[in-house]
Amino acid sequence: MEYDRIYNFSAGPSMLPVPVLESIRDNMLNYEGSGMSVTEMSHRSKVYDGIIKGAEAAMRRVMNIPDNYKVLFLQGGASLQFAMIPMNLMTKNHKADYILTGNFSTKAYQEATKYGAARVAGSTKEENFSRIPRQEELDLDPEADYVHICFNNTIYGSKWDYIPDTGDVPLVADMSSCIMSEPVDVTRFGMIYAGAQKNVAPAGLTIVIIREDLLGEPMAFTPVMCNYATMAKNDSMYNTPPCFSIYVCKLVCEWLESLGGLTEMQKMNRKKAELLYGCLNNSKLFHATVQEGSRSMMNVTFRTGDDELDAKFVKESVAAGMTNLKGHRAVGGMRASIYNAVPYEAVEHLVAFMKRFEAENL
Ligand SMILES: *Cc1c(COP(=O)(O)O)cnc(C)c1O
């Protein structure tokens, strides 16, 4: 790979597109004639105003976000949203439905129980989260203030292959590990949120896309920093925003546009995922851990069935020029995260290595 970069399958923070890194490098000491780096400029300056507005505009174009949705640039990671969502949205009937499909949806649910009547409205825990529940398996309360799902399960490697119908109840989705990987119909969601460090930018930025009518009165004790309405009213500038990550987010959105937008990105992501799942489907040694129909295009989880052999695979993959293929500590096995910025070539390299390893170890 260019610049002697390694094949990096990190789940997050993860690869950024090379043209984006090059643009950052070229502007590092003097951003477009401003005489300073983006890391050094006031967030209230004219130059930075162009950056943050440009980031929002580019994201709106790329994701086709309608005007009645606010785009917020926040901090605290997706994990802070687990608390902010109930504080801001569990305020009418004081109850919400959570669908459990893995680690993060469970954490979101546990956090929400502190603020009101969070209820499990569906779960595939009994099946080790190896699939997404079907619509008819969901037990939704029409009085819930919202329904929460995790759209792509980073650790287990599953992804919703449909958008659940929640009637008039707003659907809230954690899209940390799949945002901007393919087109999504934003209008089907009341709110979409994502930690940026998987597919969009360096760590430190959390993106919230929220329908305006949901910006109401949060719970009385809500910290001002956790109030969506305050952040919206101040254009994400109530305090200093994560300036540098927002800048990179702008560059990443512009890079996506230069490729042809999310329809093209989806094609490329499909091609990578098909190569890897095809290898797993034909393998006598490896198997995918998620059932067909629920498999993520971004995080591909697999194992041999033998923990020692899995460990050997991970160890040898490092010697073969790859990194971060070890599964999350909560589930073991292997995981290849193949986000937008991971090139097809990296997946080819991985598949060739898997075939070699299979021939040597079967
Ligand atoms: C990584 C991740 C999180 C946690 O994000 P932080 O920004 O570290 O809080 C939550 N949900 C999903 C789906 C993730 O992939």
Side-chain angles (χ1 to χ4, degrees), residues 76-79 82 104 150 152 154 174 176-177 195 197-198:
S79 301
F82 299 166
F104 292 115
C150 180
N152 184 78
T154 324
D174 180 351
S176 295
S177 49
Q197 70 274 22
K198 314 289 166 57

Coordinates of all heavy atoms in Angstrom, one line a residue, residues 76-79 82 104 150 152 154 174 176-177 195 197-198, ligand 1:
G76 N -18.6 13.5 23.6 CA -19.0 12.4 24.6 C -19.2 11.1 24.0 O -19.5 10.1 24.7
G77 N -19.0 10.9 22.7 CA -19.2 9.6 22.0 C -20.6 9.2 21.9 O -21.5 9.8 22.5
A78 N -20.8 8.1 21.2 CA -22.1 7.5 21.1 C -22.6 7.1 22.5 O -23.8 7.1 22.8 CB -22.1 6.3 20.2
S79 N -21.7 6.8 23.4 CA -22.0 6.3 24.7 C -22.8 7.4 25.5 O -23.6 7.1 26.3 CB -20.8 5.9 25.5 OG -20.2 4.8 24.8
F82 N -26.4 7.4 24.9 CA -27.2 6.4 25.6 C -28.0 7.1 26.8 O -29.1 6.7 27.1 CB -26.4 5.3 26.2 CG -25.6 4.5 25.1 CD1 -24.6 3.6 25.5 CD2 -25.9 4.6 23.8 CE1 -23.9 2.9 24.6 CE2 -25.2 3.9 22.8 CZ -24.2 3.0 23.2
F104 N -23.9 -2.8 22.3 CA -24.2 -1.4 22.5 C -25.6 -1.1 22.7 O -26.0 -0.2 23.5 CB -23.6 -0.6 21.3 CG -22.1 -0.5 21.2 CD1 -21.4 -1.1 20.2 CD2 -21.4 0.1 22.3 CE1 -20.0 -1.1 20.2 CE2 -20.0 0.1 22.3 CZ -19.3 -0.5 21.2
C150 N -29.9 -0.4 17.5 CA -28.5 -0.3 17.0 C -28.5 -0.8 15.6 O -28.6 -2.1 15.4 CB -27.5 -0.9 17.9 SG -25.8 -0.7 17.4
N152 N -26.2 -1.2 13.2 CA -25.1 -2.1 12.8 C -24.4 -2.4 14.1 O -23.9 -1.5 14.8 CB -24.2 -1.4 11.8 CG -23.1 -2.3 11.3 OD1 -23.3 -3.2 10.5 ND2 -21.9 -2.2 11.9
T154 N -21.5 -3.5 15.8 CA -20.0 -3.5 15.6 C -19.3 -4.7 16.1 O -18.4 -5.2 15.5 CB -19.4 -2.2 16.3 OG1 -20.4 -1.2 16.1 CG2 -18.1 -1.8 15.7
D174 N -28.7 4.0 16.5 CA -27.3 4.1 16.7 C -26.7 3.6 15.4 O -26.8 2.5 15.1 CB -26.8 3.3 17.9 CG -25.3 3.4 18.1 OD1 -24.6 3.9 17.3 OD2 -24.9 2.8 19.2
S176 N -23.4 4.3 14.6 CA -22.0 4.6 14.7 C -21.1 3.8 13.7 O -20.1 4.4 13.2 CB -21.5 4.2 16.1 OG -22.1 5.0 17.1
S177 N -21.4 2.6 13.4 CA -20.5 1.8 12.6 C -21.0 1.6 11.2 O -20.4 0.7 10.5 CB -20.2 0.5 13.3 OG -21.3 -0.2 13.7
G195 N -21.0 7.9 16.8 CA -19.7 8.3 17.1 C -18.9 8.3 15.8 O -19.1 7.4 15.0
Q197 N -15.8 8.1 14.9 CA -14.5 7.4 14.8 C -14.5 6.1 14.0 O -13.4 5.5 13.8 CB -13.8 7.3 16.1 CG -14.4 6.2 17.0 CD -15.6 6.8 17.9 OE1 -16.2 7.8 17.5 NE2 -15.9 6.1 19.0
K198 N -15.6 5.6 13.6 CA -15.6 4.4 12.8 C -15.6 4.7 11.3 O -14.8 4.1 10.6 CB -16.9 3.6 13.0 CG -17.3 3.4 14.5 CD -16.4 2.5 15.3 CE -16.5 2.6 16.8 NZ -17.8 2.3 17.4
Ligands
LIG1 C1 -18.2 2.3 18.9 C2 -19.7 2.2 19.1 C3 -20.3 2.8 20.2 C4 -19.5 3.5 21.3 O1 -19.0 4.7 20.8 P1 -18.2 5.7 21.7 O2 -18.1 6.9 20.7 O3 -16.9 5.1 22.0 O4 -19.0 6.0 22.9 C5 -21.6 2.8 20.4 N1 -22.4 2.2 19.5 C6 -21.9 1.6 18.4 C7 -22.7 0.9 17.4 C8 -20.5 1.6 18.2 O5 -19.9 1.0 17.1

